[in-house]
Amino acid sequence: MSGSSYTYASGRVSGLEESLLTERIWNQLLSAEDRDEVLRILGDSWYGSLLQAEKDLDSALRSAVCRAEEELLELSHDPAFTRGILLRRDVRNARYLWKNFAAGGEGEIELEPSGLIPVEDLKRVWGDENVADTLPSQFQKALSEIQEFNSPSAVMLDKVLDRLAAEVEFDNLGQLEEPVGSIPSVKIELRNFLTAARNRSEEMAVRVIGEMMLEGGYHSPEEIIEAVRVNKLSVLLAETPGFEDSAQALEEGLESGSFLAFQRESDKLTMDILERAAGNMFSPGPLAAYVLRRELEASHLKLIAAGKAAGIDSRRLSARVPRG
């Protein structure tokens, strides 16, 4: 796609970005008394029409992300970029379906539109090896691992599916030019350090951490495991330029046992990268940034809604959600 074409697409995206929630609305959401007030505030925003059209908040947020992806697919003429976005959608559908099947369900659940893999194929692969052989190799591997489990827990399933999501994102979006191309590695790096920090004091910590580590971050799993052994996780993370604030938050979490601040800094780091990406109008950066911003916005809205439903106060939510 030429630079001039990207300029046109970026102009379109600038208009779409106006629908992202403002700081004022985020402050209102964080200060809301309860979940009902959160829904009322969202009802007066861009999300209002989606809340009216869908059966619940989760469905509305899912629809918001799908709508952002559809806009991107219309504007982008880069096959690799388009493939990456569509395969990420297939990963999400595989997660919904295969977790349902593993729990004894029949796959009669709400799904997103198909990406590159028809939804019906993702259903049929559960009991048909011939169809399973047509899946991309990463999907085949994940399906095989899940079906080998005996009465798997949600944690066991998520471990496999999280790895699939990270690999697909790294192999596709990771090939784009900076700063968008750095996002998969940034996310893997932060996830690995959080996993290591949470499991550092568990019995058999090294084995557990090793099994849960993902490849593709700035530090190898072996380096992170060694840092656990010598109690220098935050020191190792701080070696990567730009991760200093995250490293400080990680150290505070290691001392307090709460990693809310680290998760907040992790999201903030991603938001800062997307802010930079959105400024390069001669690249796919603004298109990718818009979709990923919408995804992150939906994730934060879920956190706030769930927090308000659970009676979590605004101060604690603000400690986790980098908004307002």
Side-chain angles (χ1 to χ4, degrees), residues 234-299:
S234 58
V235 174
L236 182 66
L237 182 60
E239 290 180 356
T240 305
F243 284 69
E244 294 83 3
D245 290 343
S246 295
Q248 181 177 342
L250 182 65
E251 180 62 27
E252 293 170 0
L254 290 168
E255 294 174 359
S256 68
S258 171
F259 296 98
L260 291 179
F262 177 74
Q263 291 172 286
R264 185 182 194 280
E265 286 299 325
S266 296
D267 285 355
K268 187 175 182 298
L269 182 56
T270 301
M271 290 166 65
D272 289 344
I273 294 172
L274 294 177
E275 182 71 26
R276 297 201 306 274
N280 185 356
M281 298 185 66
F282 301 100
S283 76
L287 281 71
Y290 170 62
V291 173
L292 297 176
R293 279 172 161 174
R294 183 68 77 190
E295 282 185 6
L296 199 54
E297 181 171 272
S299 174

Coordinates of all heavy atoms in Angstrom, one line a residue, residues 234-299:
S234 N 12.8 -7.5 38.9 CA 12.6 -6.1 38.5 C 13.9 -5.5 37.9 O 13.9 -4.7 37.0 CB 12.2 -5.3 39.7 OG 13.1 -5.3 40.8
V235 N 15.1 -6.0 38.4 CA 16.3 -5.5 37.8 C 16.5 -5.9 36.4 O 16.9 -5.1 35.5 CB 17.5 -6.0 38.7 CG1 18.8 -5.7 38.0 CG2 17.5 -5.5 40.1
L236 N 16.1 -7.1 36.1 CA 16.2 -7.7 34.7 C 15.2 -6.9 33.8 O 15.6 -6.5 32.7 CB 15.9 -9.1 34.7 CG 16.0 -9.8 33.3 CD1 17.4 -9.8 32.9 CD2 15.4 -11.3 33.4
L237 N 14.0 -6.6 34.3 CA 13.0 -5.9 33.4 C 13.5 -4.5 33.1 O 13.3 -4.0 32.0 CB 11.7 -5.9 34.1 CG 10.5 -5.2 33.4 CD1 10.3 -5.9 32.0 CD2 9.3 -5.2 34.2
A238 N 14.1 -3.9 34.1 CA 14.6 -2.5 33.9 C 15.7 -2.4 32.9 O 16.0 -1.3 32.4 CB 15.1 -1.9 35.3
E239 N 16.3 -3.5 32.5 CA 17.4 -3.4 31.5 C 16.8 -3.0 30.1 O 17.6 -2.5 29.3 CB 18.0 -4.8 31.3 CG 18.9 -5.3 32.5 CD 19.5 -6.6 32.3 OE1 19.2 -7.3 31.3 OE2 20.2 -7.1 33.2
T240 N 15.6 -3.2 29.9 CA 15.0 -2.9 28.6 C 14.6 -1.4 28.6 O 13.8 -1.0 29.4 CB 13.7 -3.7 28.3 OG1 14.1 -5.1 28.4 CG2 13.2 -3.5 26.9
P241 N 15.1 -0.6 27.7 CA 14.8 0.8 27.6 C 13.2 1.0 27.5 O 12.6 0.3 26.7 CB 15.5 1.3 26.4 CG 16.7 0.4 26.2 CD 16.1 -0.9 26.7
G242 N 12.7 1.9 28.3 CA 11.3 2.2 28.2 C 10.5 1.4 29.2 O 9.3 1.7 29.4
F243 N 11.1 0.4 29.9 CA 10.4 -0.4 30.8 C 10.7 0.0 32.3 O 10.3 -0.8 33.2 CB 10.7 -1.9 30.6 CG 10.1 -2.5 29.4 CD1 10.4 -2.1 28.2 CD2 9.1 -3.5 29.6 CE1 9.8 -2.7 27.0 CE2 8.5 -4.1 28.5 CZ 8.9 -3.7 27.2
E244 N 11.3 1.1 32.5 CA 11.7 1.5 33.8 C 10.5 1.6 34.8 O 10.6 1.2 35.9 CB 12.5 2.8 33.8 CG 13.9 2.7 33.1 CD 13.7 2.8 31.6 OE1 12.6 3.1 31.1 OE2 14.8 2.7 30.9
D245 N 9.5 2.3 34.4 CA 8.3 2.5 35.2 C 7.6 1.2 35.5 O 7.2 0.9 36.7 CB 7.3 3.4 34.6 CG 7.8 4.9 34.6 OD1 8.7 5.2 35.3 OD2 7.2 5.7 33.8
S246 N 7.6 0.3 34.6 CA 7.0 -1.0 34.8 C 7.9 -1.8 35.8 O 7.3 -2.6 36.6 CB 6.9 -1.8 33.5 OG 6.0 -1.2 32.6
A247 N 9.2 -1.7 35.7 CA 10.1 -2.4 36.6 C 9.9 -1.9 38.0 O 9.9 -2.7 39.0 CB 11.5 -2.2 36.1
Q248 N 9.7 -0.6 38.2 CA 9.5 -0.1 39.5 C 8.2 -0.6 40.1 O 8.1 -1.0 41.3 CB 9.5 1.4 39.5 CG 9.3 2.1 40.9 CD 9.3 3.6 40.8 OE1 9.8 4.2 39.9 NE2 8.8 4.2 41.8
A249 N 7.1 -0.6 39.2 CA 5.8 -1.1 39.7 C 5.9 -2.6 40.0 O 5.3 -3.1 41.0 CB 4.8 -0.9 38.6
L250 N 6.8 -3.4 39.3 CA 6.9 -4.8 39.5 C 7.6 -5.0 40.9 O 7.2 -5.9 41.7 CB 7.8 -5.4 38.4 CG 8.0 -6.9 38.6 CD1 6.7 -7.7 38.4 CD2 9.0 -7.4 37.5
E251 N 8.6 -4.2 41.2 CA 9.3 -4.3 42.5 C 8.4 -4.0 43.6 O 8.4 -4.7 44.6 CB 10.5 -3.3 42.5 CG 11.3 -3.3 43.8 CD 11.9 -4.6 44.1 OE1 12.2 -5.4 43.1 OE2 12.2 -5.0 45.3
E252 N 7.5 -3.0 43.5 CA 6.5 -2.7 44.5 C 5.5 -3.9 44.7 O 5.1 -4.2 45.8 CB 5.7 -1.4 44.1 CG 6.6 -0.2 44.1 CD 5.9 1.0 43.5 OE1 4.7 0.9 43.1 OE2 6.5 2.1 43.5
G253 N 5.2 -4.5 43.6 CA 4.3 -5.6 43.6 C 4.9 -6.8 44.3 O 4.3 -7.6 45.1
L254 N 6.2 -7.0 44.1 CA 6.9 -8.1 44.7 C 7.0 -7.9 46.2 O 6.9 -8.9 47.0 CB 8.3 -8.2 44.2 CG 8.5 -8.7 42.7 CD1 9.9 -8.5 42.2 CD2 8.1 -10.2 42.6
E255 N 7.0 -6.7 46.7 CA 7.1 -6.4 48.1 C 5.7 -6.4 48.7 O 5.5 -6.9 49.9 CB 7.7 -5.0 48.3 CG 9.1 -4.9 47.9 CD 9.7 -3.5 48.0 OE1 8.9 -2.6 48.4 OE2 10.9 -3.3 47.7
S256 N 4.6 -6.0 48.0 CA 3.3 -5.9 48.6 C 2.4 -7.1 48.3 O 1.5 -7.4 49.0 CB 2.6 -4.7 48.0 OG 2.3 -4.8 46.6
G257 N 2.8 -7.8 47.2 CA 1.9 -9.0 46.9 C 0.8 -8.6 45.9 O 0.1 -9.5 45.5
S258 N 0.6 -7.3 45.6 CA -0.4 -6.9 44.7 C 0.3 -6.3 43.4 O 1.2 -5.5 43.5 CB -1.3 -5.8 45.3 OG -2.1 -5.2 44.3
F259 N -0.2 -6.8 42.3 CA 0.4 -6.4 41.0 C -0.5 -5.5 40.2 O -0.4 -5.4 38.9 CB 0.8 -7.7 40.2 CG 1.9 -8.4 40.9 CD1 1.6 -9.5 41.7 CD2 3.2 -8.0 40.8 CE1 2.5 -10.3 42.3 CE2 4.2 -8.7 41.5 CZ 3.9 -9.9 42.2
L260 N -1.5 -4.9 40.8 CA -2.4 -4.0 40.1 C -1.6 -2.8 39.4 O -1.9 -2.5 38.3 CB -3.4 -3.4 41.1 CG -4.5 -4.3 41.6 CD1 -5.4 -3.6 42.6 CD2 -5.3 -5.0 40.5
A261 N -0.7 -2.2 40.2 CA 0.1 -1.1 39.6 C 0.9 -1.6 38.4 O 1.1 -0.9 37.4 CB 1.0 -0.5 40.7
F262 N 1.5 -2.8 38.5 CA 2.2 -3.3 37.4 C 1.4 -3.5 36.1 O 1.7 -3.2 35.0 CB 2.9 -4.6 37.7 CG 3.7 -5.3 36.6 CD1 4.9 -4.7 36.2 CD2 3.2 -6.4 35.9 CE1 5.6 -5.3 35.1 CE2 3.9 -6.9 34.9 CZ 5.1 -6.4 34.5
Q263 N 0.2 -4.1 36.3 CA -0.8 -4.3 35.2 C -1.2 -2.9 34.6 O -1.3 -2.8 33.4 CB -2.0 -5.1 35.7 CG -1.6 -6.5 36.0 CD -2.8 -7.2 36.7 OE1 -3.2 -7.0 37.8 NE2 -3.5 -8.1 35.9
R264 N -1.3 -1.9 35.5 CA -1.7 -0.6 35.0 C -0.5 0.0 34.2 O -0.8 0.5 33.1 CB -1.9 0.3 36.2 CG -2.4 1.7 35.9 CD -2.6 2.6 37.1 NE -3.4 3.8 36.9 CZ -2.9 4.9 36.3 NH1 -1.6 4.9 36.0 NH2 -3.6 5.9 36.1
E265 N 0.7 -0.2 34.7 CA 1.8 0.4 33.9 C 2.0 -0.4 32.6 O 2.4 0.2 31.6 CB 3.1 0.3 34.8 CG 3.2 1.3 35.8 CD 3.2 2.7 35.3 OE1 3.8 3.0 34.2 OE2 2.6 3.6 36.0
S266 N 1.7 -1.7 32.6 CA 1.8 -2.5 31.4 C 0.8 -2.0 30.3 O 1.2 -1.8 29.2 CB 1.5 -4.0 31.7 OG 2.4 -4.5 32.6
D267 N -0.4 -1.7 30.7 CA -1.4 -1.2 29.8 C -1.0 0.2 29.3 O -1.1 0.6 28.2 CB -2.8 -1.1 30.4 CG -3.4 -2.5 30.5 OD1 -2.8 -3.5 30.0 OD2 -4.5 -2.6 31.1
K268 N -0.4 1.0 30.2 CA 0.0 2.4 29.9 C 1.1 2.3 28.9 O 1.2 3.2 27.9 CB 0.4 3.1 31.2 CG 0.7 4.6 30.9 CD 1.0 5.3 32.2 CE 1.3 6.8 32.0 NZ 2.5 7.0 31.2
L269 N 2.0 1.4 29.0 CA 3.1 1.3 28.1 C 2.6 1.0 26.7 O 3.0 1.5 25.7 CB 4.1 0.2 28.6 CG 5.3 -0.1 27.7 CD1 6.2 1.2 27.6 CD2 6.2 -1.2 28.4
T270 N 1.6 0.1 26.6 CA 1.0 -0.3 25.3 C 0.3 0.9 24.8 O 0.4 1.2 23.6 CB 0.0 -1.4 25.5 OG1 0.7 -2.6 26.0 CG2 -0.6 -1.8 24.2
M271 N -0.4 1.7 25.6 CA -1.1 2.9 25.1 C -0.2 3.9 24.6 O -0.4 4.6 23.6 CB -2.0 3.4 26.3 CG -3.2 2.6 26.7 SD -3.9 3.0 28.3 CE -4.5 4.7 27.9
D272 N 1.0 4.1 25.2 CA 2.0 5.0 24.8 C 2.5 4.6 23.4 O 2.8 5.5 22.5 CB 3.2 5.1 25.8 CG 2.8 5.8 27.0 OD1 1.7 6.5 27.1 OD2 3.5 5.6 28.0
I273 N 2.7 3.3 23.2 CA 3.2 2.8 21.9 C 2.1 3.1 20.8 O 2.5 3.6 19.7 CB 3.5 1.3 21.9 CG1 4.7 1.1 22.8 CG2 3.8 0.8 20.5 CD1 4.9 -0.4 23.1
L274 N 0.9 2.9 21.1 CA -0.2 3.1 20.2 C -0.3 4.6 19.9 O -0.7 5.0 18.7 CB -1.5 2.6 20.7 CG -1.6 1.1 20.9 CD1 -2.9 0.6 21.5 CD2 -1.4 0.4 19.6
E275 N -0.1 5.5 20.8 CA -0.1 6.9 20.6 C 0.9 7.3 19.6 O 0.7 8.1 18.7 CB 0.1 7.6 21.9 CG 0.1 9.1 21.8 CD -1.3 9.7 21.6 OE1 -2.3 9.0 22.0 OE2 -1.5 10.8 21.0
R276 N 2.1 6.7 19.7 CA 3.2 7.0 18.7 C 2.8 6.5 17.3 O 3.0 7.1 16.3 CB 4.5 6.4 19.2 CG 5.1 7.0 20.5 CD 6.6 6.8 20.6 NE 6.9 5.4 20.5 CZ 7.0 4.5 21.5 NH1 6.6 4.9 22.7 NH2 7.4 3.3 21.3
A277 N 2.3 5.3 17.3 CA 1.9 4.6 16.1 C 0.9 5.4 15.3 O 0.9 5.5 14.1 CB 1.4 3.2 16.3
A278 N -0.1 6.0 16.0 CA -1.1 6.7 15.4 C -0.7 8.0 14.7 O -1.3 8.5 13.9 CB -2.2 7.1 16.5
G279 N 0.5 8.5 15.1 CA 1.1 9.7 14.5 C 1.7 9.6 13.2 O 2.0 10.6 12.5
N280 N 2.0 8.3 12.7 CA 2.7 8.1 11.5 C 1.7 7.8 10.4 O 1.3 6.7 10.1 CB 3.7 6.9 11.6 CG 4.6 6.8 10.3 OD1 4.4 7.5 9.3 ND2 5.5 5.9 10.3
M281 N 1.3 8.9 9.7 CA 0.2 8.8 8.7 C 0.7 8.1 7.4 O -0.2 7.9 6.5 CB -0.4 10.2 8.4 CG -1.0 10.8 9.6 SD -1.8 12.4 9.2 CE -3.1 11.8 8.1
F282 N 2.0 7.8 7.2 CA 2.4 7.2 6.0 C 2.7 5.7 6.2 O 3.5 5.1 5.5 CB 3.7 7.9 5.5 CG 3.5 9.4 5.3 CD1 3.9 10.3 6.2 CD2 2.9 9.8 4.1 CE1 3.7 11.7 6.0 CE2 2.6 11.2 3.9 CZ 3.0 12.1 4.8
S283 N 2.1 5.1 7.2 CA 2.3 3.7 7.5 C 0.9 3.1 8.0 O -0.1 3.8 8.1 CB 3.3 3.6 8.7 OG 2.7 3.9 9.9
P284 N 0.9 1.8 8.2 CA -0.3 1.2 8.7 C -0.5 1.5 10.2 O -1.5 1.0 10.8 CB -0.1 -0.3 8.4 CG 1.3 -0.5 8.4 CD 1.9 0.8 7.8
G285 N 0.4 2.2 10.8 CA 0.3 2.5 12.2 C -1.0 3.0 12.7 O -1.6 2.5 13.7
P286 N -1.6 4.1 12.1 CA -2.9 4.6 12.6 C -4.0 3.6 12.5 O -4.9 3.5 13.4 CB -3.1 5.8 11.7 CG -1.8 6.2 11.2 CD -1.0 5.0 11.1
L287 N -4.0 2.7 11.5 CA -5.0 1.7 11.4 C -4.9 0.7 12.5 O -5.9 0.3 13.1 CB -5.0 1.0 10.0 CG -5.5 1.7 8.8 CD1 -4.6 2.9 8.4 CD2 -5.6 0.8 7.6
A288 N -3.7 0.2 12.7 CA -3.5 -0.8 13.7 C -3.8 -0.2 15.1 O -4.4 -0.8 16.0 CB -2.1 -1.4 13.7
A289 N -3.3 1.0 15.3 CA -3.5 1.7 16.6 C -5.0 1.8 16.9 O -5.4 1.7 18.1 CB -2.8 3.0 16.6
Y290 N -5.8 2.2 15.9 CA -7.2 2.3 16.2 C -7.9 1.0 16.7 O -8.6 1.0 17.7 CB -8.0 2.8 14.9 CG -9.5 2.8 15.1 CD1 -10.1 3.6 16.0 CD2 -10.2 2.0 14.3 CE1 -11.5 3.6 16.2 CE2 -11.6 2.0 14.4 CZ -12.2 2.7 15.4 OH -13.6 2.7 15.5
V291 N -7.6 -0.1 16.0 CA -8.2 -1.4 16.4 C -7.7 -1.8 17.8 O -8.5 -2.2 18.6 CB -7.8 -2.4 15.3 CG1 -8.3 -3.8 15.9 CG2 -8.5 -2.2 14.0
L292 N -6.4 -1.6 18.0 CA -5.8 -2.1 19.3 C -6.3 -1.1 20.4 O -6.5 -1.6 21.6 CB -4.3 -2.1 19.2 CG -3.8 -3.1 18.2 CD1 -2.3 -3.1 18.1 CD2 -4.2 -4.5 18.6
R293 N -6.5 0.1 20.1 CA -7.0 1.1 21.1 C -8.5 0.7 21.5 O -8.9 0.7 22.7 CB -7.0 2.5 20.6 CG -5.7 3.2 20.7 CD -5.8 4.5 20.0 NE -4.7 5.4 20.4 CZ -4.5 6.6 19.8 NH1 -5.2 7.0 18.8 NH2 -3.5 7.4 20.3
R294 N -9.3 0.3 20.5 CA -10.6 -0.1 20.8 C -10.6 -1.4 21.6 O -11.4 -1.6 22.5 CB -11.4 -0.3 19.4 CG -12.8 -0.7 19.6 CD -13.7 0.4 20.2 NE -13.9 1.5 19.2 CZ -14.5 2.6 19.5 NH1 -14.7 3.0 20.7 NH2 -14.7 3.5 18.5
E295 N -9.7 -2.3 21.3 CA -9.6 -3.6 22.1 C -9.3 -3.3 23.5 O -9.9 -3.8 24.5 CB -8.5 -4.5 21.5 CG -8.9 -5.2 20.3 CD -7.8 -6.2 19.9 OE1 -6.8 -6.3 20.6 OE2 -7.9 -6.8 18.8
L296 N -8.3 -2.4 23.7 CA -7.9 -2.0 25.1 C -9.0 -1.3 25.8 O -9.2 -1.5 27.0 CB -6.6 -1.2 25.0 CG -5.8 -1.1 26.3 CD1 -5.4 -2.5 26.8 CD2 -4.5 -0.4 26.0
E297 N -9.7 -0.4 25.1 CA -10.8 0.3 25.7 C -11.9 -0.7 26.2 O -12.4 -0.6 27.3 CB -11.4 1.3 24.7 CG -12.6 2.1 25.2 CD -13.0 3.2 24.2 OE1 -12.4 4.3 24.3 OE2 -13.9 2.9 23.4
A298 N -12.2 -1.7 25.3 CA -13.2 -2.7 25.7 C -12.7 -3.5 26.9 O -13.5 -3.7 27.8 CB -13.5 -3.6 24.5
S299 N -11.5 -3.8 27.0 CA -10.9 -4.5 28.1 C -11.1 -3.7 29.4 O -11.4 -4.2 30.5 CB -9.4 -4.9 27.9 OG -8.9 -5.4 29.0

